[in-house]
């Protein structure tokens, strides 16, 4: 007897309780965030070389392939970040929505890497929770091509999964200068390029939920973050011969 098992559609569900975030700056395909400088390049450029030819970044497969994959999480509010100068500690953060919060990881959490006298770490608390109906890995990385001054901000890359972990907070590191400086990040700036590490097609769904539903999801997320249930669930899955 032959069994015809239809493969389950891979879906990324994105939840927020903020109406302006949902309507004005939703999660979208990365192809919607191709930077304007790239679009302004001519499609054909003659080169003064012996055998002729053409070349600019409009023909770069690495670039076009990058923006054909995954989704972009844009900044949901204008932000002004005041960073203390090199050798000193401190920062001030201001968000136009008067709601966004930031957290800080101290040096003990990353050892000798990017110490606080030279760099300021900020974790920008995202208004989005993600859930994926399949246990796959996702690359979470900085959309560097979208930044006019990529040297002002470092968003370290990571491999995450959204079947057990729903958080999309932005860990950002800001190099200190000789003097204090203010970094302005505009509403809509791409903050994370999230790429599924699979060849399967992913369907994106965004949801506007109530505040109570959002708080409930946050409580469930914290239980995973501060306990060992995440590890236990992963181990349990690895023992199951059917992968459930």
């Amino acid at each position: 007897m032959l069994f015809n098992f239809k493969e389950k559609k891979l879906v990324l569900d994105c939840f927020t309780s903020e109406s302006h975030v949902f309507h004005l700056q939703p999660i979208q395909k990365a192809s919607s965030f191709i930077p304007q400088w790239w679009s302004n390049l001519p499609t054909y450029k003659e080169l003064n070389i012996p055998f002729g030819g053409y070349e600019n970044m409009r023909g770069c497969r690495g670039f076009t392939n990058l923006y054909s994959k995954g989704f972009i999480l844009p900044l949901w509010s204008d932000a002004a970040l005041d960073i203390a100068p090199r050798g000193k500690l401190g920062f001030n953060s201001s968000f136009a929505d008067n709601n966004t919060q930031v957290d800080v990881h101290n040096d003990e959490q990353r050892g000798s890497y990017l110490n606080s006298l030279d760099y300021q770490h900020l974790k920008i608390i995202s208004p989005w929770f993600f859930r994926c109906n399949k246990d796959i890995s996702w690359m979470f990385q900085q959309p560097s091509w979208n930044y006019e001054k990529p040297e002002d901000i470092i968003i370290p890359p990571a491999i995450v999964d959204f079947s057990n972990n729903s958080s999309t907070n932005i860990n950002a590191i800001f190099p200190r200068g000789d003097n204090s400086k203010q970094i302005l990040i505009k509403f809509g700036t791409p903050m994370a390029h999230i790429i599924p590490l699979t060849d399967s097609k992913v369907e994106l769904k965004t949801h506007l939920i109530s505040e109570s539903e959002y708080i409930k999801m946050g409580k469930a997320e914290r239980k995973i973050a501060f306990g060992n249930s995440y590890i236990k669930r992963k181990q349990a899955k690895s023992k199951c011969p059917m992968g459930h």
Side-chain angles (χ1 to χ4, degrees):
M1 181 181 294
L2 296 177
F3 295 93
N4 184 18
F5 293 107
K6 187 176 181 180
E7 185 178 359
K8 186 178 180 182
K9 183 183 294 185
L10 205 167
V11 179
L12 179 66
D13 288 292
C14 307
F15 303 88
T16 184
S17 62
E18 303 287 341
S19 178
H20 73 282
V21 174
F22 179 82
H23 291 292
L24 300 179
Q25 282 301 340
I27 310 298
Q28 297 184 67
K29 290 182 178 180
S31 57
S32 299
F33 290 87
I34 292 176
Q36 189 61 47
W37 64 262
W38 184 90
S39 298
N40 291 340
L41 290 172
T43 56
Y44 183 93
K45 182 180 179 181
E46 292 286 353
L47 297 183
N48 185 23
I49 57 177
F51 302 102
Y54 62 94
E55 193 65 51
N56 65 30
M57 283 196 64
R58 285 296 291 265
C60 177
R61 292 294 297 275
F63 182 94
T64 56
N65 286 342
L66 177 65
Y67 279 88
S68 71
K69 306 290 184 183
F71 309 98
I72 293 285
L73 190 164
L75 189 63
W76 49 92
S77 168
D78 287 331
L81 306 171
D82 296 298
I83 307 299
R86 187 179 298 110
K88 295 186 178 181
L89 302 177
F91 73 94
N92 285 312
S93 63
S94 177
F95 291 82
D97 64 2
N98 295 316
N99 185 49
T100 299
Q101 302 295 317
V102 299
D103 197 0
V104 176
H105 288 173
N106 56 40
D107 283 355
E108 286 74 14
Q109 292 181 287
R110 59 183 183 275
S112 60
Y113 182 66
L114 302 182
N115 73 84
S116 291
L117 293 176
D118 294 316
Y119 298 87
Q120 176 65 57
H121 169 270
L122 294 177
K123 180 164 70 174
I124 304 172
I125 307 303
S126 168
W128 290 99
F129 285 130
F130 285 6
R131 285 184 179 171
C132 183
N133 64 335
K134 286 190 178 182
D135 187 9
I136 66 168
S137 294
W138 298 73
M139 171 64 79
F140 193 102
Q141 66 180 37
Q142 179 171 343
S144 299
W145 293 111
N146 291 89
Y147 291 8
E148 293 182 2
K149 294 183 178 181
E151 69 275 12
D152 280 348
I153 180 172
I154 302 167
I155 299 176
I159 301 292
V160 298
D161 88 86
F162 297 119
S163 60
N164 294 288
N165 174 37
S166 300
S167 173
T168 61
N169 297 329
I170 309 296
N171 280 288
I173 298 171
F174 302 90
R176 300 189 189 279
D178 294 334
N179 302 300
S180 59
K181 60 182 178 180
Q182 184 177 77
I183 297 172
L184 302 176
I185 310 178
K186 295 180 181 179
F187 172 78
T189 297
M191 297 302 289
H193 189 171
I194 304 166
I195 303 172
L197 301 183
T198 176
D199 291 330
S200 300
K201 184 177 180 181
V202 181
E203 181 179 355
L204 175 70
K205 294 183 179 181
T206 56
H207 309 272
L208 181 61
I209 60 177
S210 68
E211 184 68 20
S212 60
E213 290 175 301
Y214 186 83
I215 291 172
K216 185 177 180 180
M217 291 185 71
K219 289 180 178 178
E221 175 67 22
R222 284 191 292 274
K223 286 182 180 179
I224 294 175
F226 294 103
N228 62 359
S229 58
Y230 170 77
I231 296 175
K232 288 181 178 179
R233 288 167 69 182
K234 294 286 282 187
Q235 289 175 340
K237 284 187 176 183
S238 67
K239 293 177 182 178
C240 176
M242 297 300 292
H244 297 154

